[in-house]
Amino acid sequence: MATTPTLLSIDEYLRTNYHPDADYVDGEIEKRNLGEYSYNTNQGLIYFTFKLNETAWQTDVVNQQRIRINANRVRVCDVAVLRSDDPHEEVTSTAPLICMEILSPEDRFARAKSVLADYFALGVPNIWLIDPIRRDAFTYDGAALHTVSAGKLTVRDTPIELDLDALFAELDRKIAAHERL
């Protein structure tokens, strides 16, 4: 006889600490693939770039931020960029300016698209997917992923810019340094 999984309430999820943190989707916990060196280093470099520019860009950058999509869904965003005048929320429910997901070696595009679709449903205007293994980046518009060919991710009508060539070059430099050890 088949059994039905026990569903968790969103309140119970929000009171629980998961290590690493996990998404909450329709009453179930979804584990996230956290990466290895390329994933972690890429996330750190992106975070650092945005942290250095918070004042100039009038933003607030956070890693691994819980974002409440709706009453039944919470995603943990790899890097979220909030507007500096957004309300302070322990669990973000105001659509961030940017949500970035970084693919780990175990991630699949189908799952990533599901996560990105949730950000779109919340009203996030800039949704970026970065693949440090293939050295690719994509934007998401609710319909499809679009490969970034210009070498930069930008936010319209702002000075915000993430130079992908510089990002991946720094990642390559750090990997090469480790290989020499």
Side-chain angles (χ1 to χ4, degrees):
M1 173 159 65
T3 60
T4 305
T6 303
L7 299 180
L8 187 69
S9 76
I10 194 159
D11 291 331
E12 189 174 349
Y13 164 79
L14 292 172
R15 286 191 311 267
T16 305
N17 290 319
Y18 298 91
H19 298 287
D21 208 352
D23 291 343
Y24 175 84
V25 179
D26 302 326
E28 295 185 21
I29 300 302
E30 279 189 6
K31 293 183 179 180
R32 300 166 53 247
N33 289 321
L34 294 183
E36 294 145 354
Y37 186 83
S38 293
Y39 168 94
N40 292 325
T41 299
N42 214 32
Q43 183 178 19
L45 292 169
I46 292 167
Y47 177 83
F48 186 68
T49 298
F50 277 84
K51 196 64 158 166
L52 285 176
N53 290 287
E54 280 183 331
T55 301
W57 293 347
Q58 298 178 347
T59 58
D60 181 21
V61 63
V62 288
N63 275 339
Q64 307 300 320
Q65 179 63 28
R66 285 183 173 183
I67 298 176
R68 190 168 185 161
I69 305 301
N70 59 38
N72 298 312
R73 199 165 282 217
V74 176
R75 295 292 187 177
V76 180
C77 185
D78 288 333
V79 180
V81 179
L82 313 171
R83 295 163 192 87
S84 58
D85 60 353
D86 281 349
H88 172 78
E89 302 167 301
E90 289 300 320
V91 176
T92 300
S93 61
T94 303
L97 177 62
I98 306 168
C99 282
M100 286 177 254
E101 288 295 313
I102 302 165
L103 288 177
S104 74
E106 301 303 316
D107 280 328
R108 301 289 177 259
F109 274 97
R111 182 186 184 285
K113 281 183 175 179
S114 175
V115 172
L116 301 179
D118 280 347
Y119 297 146
F120 185 80
L122 181 62
V124 177
N126 302 281
I127 303 168
W128 301 346
L129 179 66
I130 299 170
D131 184 346
I133 303 301
R134 292 176 192 84
R135 308 299 197 264
D136 282 332
F138 307 87
T139 59
Y140 181 77
D141 64 5
L145 285 171
H146 303 281
T147 303
V148 175
S149 57
K152 294 182 185 197
L153 285 162
T154 60
V155 174
R156 176 184 274 176
D157 300 325
T158 75
I160 296 172
E161 174 181 286
L162 181 61
D163 184 330
L164 297 167
D165 295 331
L167 175 72
F168 294 141
E170 180 63 11
L171 181 60
D172 289 338
R173 185 194 68 74
K174 292 179 95 33
I175 288 170
H178 280 267
E179 289 173 352
R180 286 191 299 268
L181 295 177

